[in-house]
Amino acid sequence: MSDILLGQVLSFDADPFTAGLQAARHETRGAVVVENGKILAHGPADALRAAHPTARVTDYGKCLISAGFIDAHVHYPQTAIIASWGKRLIDWLNSYTFPEEMRFADPAYAAQISNRYLDLALAHGTTSMCSYATIHPQSVEAFFTAASARGLRAYAGKTCMDRNAPAGLQDSAQSAYDDSKALLQRWHGAGRLSYVITPRFSPTSSPDQLAALGALWAEHPDCLMQTHLSEQIDEIAWVRELYPAARDYLDTYEAHGLLGSRGVYGHAIHLTEREKHRLREVDASLVHCPTSNTFIGSGLFDITLARDIRVGLATDTGGGSSFSMLRTMAAAYEVAQLRGKALHPAELWWLATAGSARALHAQDHIGNISKGIEADLIILDLASTPAIAQASARAEDIWQALFPTIMLGDDRAIRATWIGGKPSP
Ligand code: GUN
Ligand code: ZN
């Protein structure tokens, strides 16, 4: 049985950062045909209805059908401490994050927050995510169990830390290697789940731990490796003290086998020319977390890096101040404006969907409406509140119609969600 979804359809033939605006494709009266969990075809509604006369029709009227959002960097265990007041990165970690992450020693709490986070993510139109867990293996078990129950393509890993964290939140070089390996063997490639090797960041890992995780990555090069890079000036100064022989922050990873094309580096705000050059050279991915960068006071990411480096977009919940990738796109727009660039709605939408997929090397599976891509779809009401409706009513094209939802929208804009070709309850 196939399904045909009718509405406005937004998809990408290419990356708008390199190919320009013609990379985006919009059908005013379009259709997406879904079969066996994947997209079979998309195009004008009349032609596709004629070609698939027996398909079950769901008509979303003037709503916009898009690939679901992909949050390329999130800490699901920080769900309950989102919007915690008044601290910058290191104090914020010590005051709010580490005490909360301690609670994930309890598998029941880990399960409760996994379910809460995933329900919130789906309500906001996020259909895939790449999450940090805590140091506890059971925090990964809980997250993957909850993601699998919802049929999601999800990425996560045990966060490894063996110094500069409370005693109850430290592993060791050997246990980080052993626990990560056991989780990887259990979950990587199980259904739609992927394990991500996850040293938190250089300040909370000894050189021995970074080397152990570098060795694990070398044994499993098809895995992603995620970490944080150059988020705040104070943090970078601390890394310089902790790793006096390193040329720069990136070198603390590079020297321990943690720089590569499947490396996913969160924040990456205050990069040196050498770091940019090496990231480009190895084809690594950066993740832009704009609500976090303003909320914790980190700085302004240079989005022009997206012209020749893989860049994804992310909430960084709970350093980020929203679960919504719409709010995140709005923040990305504002951060870019402060650096003199007005991001086009097509560029913002690409970052939240296909760009994040590409940053996670998942572009053949998710992040776009294209034949053979898995049918994780969201249906957006482009007039979801009176404020948005009155602004979009004046629109003369899709971009003017979409931009008020990007700047003012939230979970109220998400009218429906399809996961793996099925409507989500
Ligand atoms: N750097 C190391 N850990 C974290 C974290 O949990 N959140 C953010 N924003 N930065 C980090
Ligand atoms: Zn983070």
Side-chain angles (χ1 to χ4, degrees), residues 73-75 78 89 92 132 200 227-228 231 266-267 289 292 316-319:
H73 177 131
V74 52
H75 299 255
Q78 297 171 16
L89 178 59
W92 175 83
Y132 290 64
R200 182 175 215 120
T227 191
H228 296 85
E231 182 177 357
H267 304 288
C289 308
S292 170
D316 190 29
T317 295

Side-chain angles (χ1 to χ4, degrees), residues 332-351:
Y333 179 80
E334 290 167 350
V335 166
Q337 279 284 53
L338 287 167
R339 294 192 61 127
K341 173 161 171 64
L343 282 169
H344 191 275
E347 294 173 317
L348 293 164
W349 211 264
W350 159 271
L351 285 170

Side-chain angles (χ1 to χ4, degrees), residues 20 27 59 69 128-129 186 231 233 238 255 262 298 306-307 317 328 343 398 408:
E27 292 281 353
D59 191 345
F69 298 134
S128 279
M129 64 291 297
R186 178 160 151 74
E231 182 177 357
I233 299 293
W238 192 23
R262 287 180 178 263
S298 302
R307 290 178 190 148
T317 295
T328 305
L343 282 169
I398 178 61
L408 299 164

Side-chain angles (χ1 to χ4, degrees), residues 197 199 209-211 213-215 217 225 227 250 252-260 263 265:
I197 296 167
Q209 180 168 85
L210 293 184
L213 294 172
W217 198 19
M225 187 288 303
T227 191
L250 187 66
T252 64
Y253 298 130
E254 186 168 1
H256 297 99
L258 293 171
L259 176 63
Y265 302 87

